[in-house]
Amino acid sequence: MKSNNIPETDDDVMVTIELDGEDLDCEILTIFDIDNQDYIVLMPVDENGEPLDDTLVYIYRYYENNGDYAIDNIQSDEEYERVNKRFNELLEEVE
């Protein structure tokens, strides 16, 4: 995964990640914490900022260190289940 500097000037914060050797533009939907670990939810978008598929999101571990940002894969099925459950709770709160 690439480290990215996240711009602070736009309402829809966009980042580019590397996935399977290809750059993929994504909108940051949310960042949340579970047990002192941050997670980030990304939605892939096209060159106009429109979702490629509004049902597709990527969820990663998220790290900040001295102004640098990085993401990493979730390490286990159990961790993913906890994170996915929390993300779904956040979605319900918004609706």
Side-chain angles (χ1 to χ4, degrees):
M1 297 294 144
K2 278 186 179 177
S3 293
N4 293 291
N5 288 326
I6 299 176
E8 306 267 342
T9 58
D10 195 278
D11 290 338
D12 293 333
V13 179
M14 309 297 277
V15 295
T16 301
I17 63 171
E18 185 177 321
L19 185 65
D20 299 327
E22 299 287 325
D23 285 348
L24 182 64
D25 293 330
C26 296
E27 178 182 343
I28 298 175
L29 297 183
T30 190
I31 298 171
F32 59 93
D33 173 272
I34 298 176
D35 298 328
N36 296 318
Q37 172 62 62
D38 289 330
Y39 296 91
I40 189 168
V41 181
L42 304 173
M43 178 177 282
V45 296
D46 65 18
E47 62 277 353
N48 299 314
E50 297 298 320
L52 294 177
D53 176 346
D54 61 2
T55 64
L56 176 66
V57 296
Y58 295 108
I59 303 175
Y60 293 100
R61 287 179 167 196
Y62 173 74
Y63 303 93
E64 291 184 40
N65 186 17
N66 297 324
D68 289 328
Y69 305 89
I71 59 175
D72 194 12
N73 291 323
I74 292 174
Q75 300 301 311
S76 69
D77 290 341
E78 294 81 15
E79 180 184 11
Y80 179 79
E81 288 173 17
R82 280 194 335 258
V83 172
N84 190 48
K85 180 180 177 185
R86 181 63 185 132
F87 175 60
N88 286 321
E89 290 170 356
L90 291 170
L91 282 177
E92 289 176 13
E93 290 174 10
V94 173
E95 294 177 351

